[in-house]
């Protein structure tokens, strides 16, 4: 989320080109999912199991992205 906020100006004027910043690309891919998770309406209720399931889904996606990132670094660095 912080990475997206840092690049907000570039994104708003269309000056960012995907692929130039891997971490920003990953953050942009995750942003809608995390934002939807955080945007609970007033009075909206969520069952504890649903909450945990959504959090696990976000965590699993981030973990998967990190593994891919590390694998790409190893390939690049030999």
């Amino acid at each position: 989320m912080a990475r997206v906020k840092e690049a907000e100006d570039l994104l708003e004027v269309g000056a960012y080109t995907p692929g130039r910043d891997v971490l920003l690309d990953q953050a942009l891919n995750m942003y809608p999912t995390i934002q939807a998770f955080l945007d609970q309406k007033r009075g909206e209720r969520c069952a504890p199991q649903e909450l945990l399931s959504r959090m696990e889904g976000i965590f699993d996606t981030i973990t998967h992205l990190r593994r891919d990132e590390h694998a790409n670094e190893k390939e690049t660095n030999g």
Side-chain angles (χ1 to χ4, degrees):
M1 302 275 296
R3 191 66 155 198
V4 173
K5 292 294 182 191
E6 289 171 4
E8 204 167 57
D9 291 338
L10 289 174
L11 294 166
E12 286 181 7
V13 298
Y16 177 70
T17 304
R20 298 187 93 181
D21 182 336
V22 175
L23 291 178
L24 179 56
D25 291 342
Q26 291 173 351
L28 290 170
N29 286 332
M30 288 297 303
Y31 192 82
T33 303
I34 294 171
Q35 195 61 44
F37 175 78
L38 295 174
D39 283 344
Q40 185 173 359
K41 307 293 184 261
R42 185 179 192 138
E44 183 180 351
R45 297 185 185 269
C46 182
Q49 189 55 42
E50 180 185 349
L51 175 68
L52 289 173
S53 177
R54 291 174 67 188
M55 289 173 65
E56 286 173 351
I58 291 170
F59 179 78
D60 288 346
T61 301
I62 291 170
T63 301
H64 177 75
L65 290 171
R66 291 290 180 188
R67 282 189 198 135
D68 287 350
E69 179 183 329
H70 289 290
N72 290 337
E73 285 177 4
K74 285 183 181 180
E75 287 177 12
T76 303
N77 296 330

